[in-house]
Amino acid sequence: DAGVIQSPRHEVTEMGQEVTLRCKPISGHDYLFWYRQTMMRGLELLIYFNNNVPIDDSGMPEDRFSAKMPNASFSTLKIQPSEPRDSAVYFCASRDRAEAFFGQGTRLTVV
Amino acid sequence: GEDVEQSLFLSVREGDSSVINCTYTDSSSTYLYWYKQEPGAGLQLLTYIFSNMDMKQDQRLTVLLNKKDKHLSLRIADTQTGDSAIYFCAEGDTGRRALTFGSGTRLQVQP
């Protein structure tokens, strides 16, 4: 398996624009997580899914953030409208029973 | 709630052993993890240990778990400059919730 795949790797966008981050989990993993990493707050859990169903979205900072998992092999994290304070590295991870693997992340810069 | 704490920085000389420490609070933790993050990269799963184990060894890596004190350590033998990175401790259960991460320990290896 190629591991967790995220796209794009880098995204630069203007404030107010919509941003969509994409993730393909490892086949067979039934948990998918979205994390955000910043220097100030470290790794923060935004939302996670089990069998495509959102289980805990309490980490989603505002209504501007939304996430979907339409099937077992694809998830999106959308920010609309984006703001400069959303600039961070966004990681997707998937997990089987014990092992949790991360993608390479999307570095988002909102100017 | 769950909490994981780590020291922020460790500096060692090449060839020495490194010991990175971590404490956690959740007694229901089933798995304890160590991840490595190099600059600009995602989190790489190094190893994990079941909570009913005391020790796990994997080549140069040794994980020690003191469940009574909720203390986890990662020992890297014969530390190399390529081991310079940020090391994250994390805890999780059997999958009902997401992993909780510490703030990371930056390991600097001096030649």
Side-chain angles (χ1 to χ4, degrees):
Chain A
D1 200 309
V4 178
I5 299 173
Q6 292 187 245
S7 64
R9 289 294 311 276
H10 302 275
E11 177 81 32
V12 181
T13 190
E14 290 186 347
M15 182 174 64
Q17 297 297 306
E18 177 180 296
V19 175
T20 299
L21 311 181
R22 297 172 175 80
C23 175
K24 181 181 187 304
I26 293 172
S27 177
H29 283 193
D30 53 0
Y31 282 86
L32 183 139
F33 308 92
W34 283 100
Y35 286 87
R36 178 171 69 176
Q37 186 178 39
T38 60
M39 289 292 292
M40 291 297 293
R41 290 194 292 269
L43 272 166
E44 301 175 278
L45 174 69
L46 299 177
I47 185 172
Y48 77 95
F49 296 82
N50 177 219
N51 292 320
N52 313 339
V53 176
I55 302 300
D56 183 356
D57 66 354
S58 60
M60 297 285 261
E62 300 171 31
D63 292 344
R64 298 184 296 106
F65 286 70
S66 63
K68 293 182 180 180
M69 193 165 184
N71 57 63
S73 58
F74 184 67
S75 177
T76 60
L77 178 68
K78 185 177 292 187
I79 308 172
Q80 164 65 16
S82 57
E83 297 183 3
R85 59 191 167 127
D86 301 330
S87 297
V89 181
Y90 291 80
F91 287 106
C92 175
S94 71
R95 180 181 177 187
D96 197 352
R97 181 172 175 78
E99 296 176 311
F101 295 97
F102 280 71
Q104 290 298 299
T106 295
R107 182 174 295 277
L108 173 66
T109 303
V110 183
V111 298
Chain B
E2 309 90 21
D3 193 21
V4 179
E5 294 192 357
Q6 304 177 236
S7 54
L8 292 180
F9 185 76
L10 176 66
S11 180
V12 300
R13 290 200 177 276
E14 191 173 18
D16 289 349
S17 292
S18 307
V19 179
I20 302 171
N21 295 300
C22 168
T23 58
Y24 61 99
T25 58
D26 193 338
S27 58
S28 69
S29 300
T30 306
Y31 303 101
L32 289 305
Y33 303 83
W34 284 105
Y35 285 84
K36 176 184 180 182
Q37 186 179 32
E38 296 181 86
L43 276 73
Q44 174 194 354
L45 177 62
L46 287 178
T47 186
Y48 66 94
I49 187 170
F50 290 100
S51 59
N52 62 358
M53 297 170 64
D54 298 324
M55 185 183 84
K56 180 178 181 180
Q57 188 156 0
D58 184 0
Q59 299 182 338
R60 292 190 298 122
L61 305 179
T62 302
V63 178
L64 294 178
L65 175 61
N66 182 329
K67 193 172 182 181
K68 174 177 171 290
D69 294 338
K70 298 189 182 65
H71 182 268
L72 183 75
S73 67
L74 174 70
R75 178 177 180 269
I76 306 173
D78 186 25
T79 312
Q80 303 296 308
T81 55
D83 295 324
S84 293
I86 300 176
Y87 290 80
F88 290 92
C89 170
E91 60 88 20
D93 65 0
T94 53
R96 287 171 285 128
R97 57 177 171 81
L99 273 61
T100 300
F101 285 85
S103 55
T105 299
R106 182 178 296 276
L107 175 64
Q108 180 182 72
V109 183
Q110 299 177 356

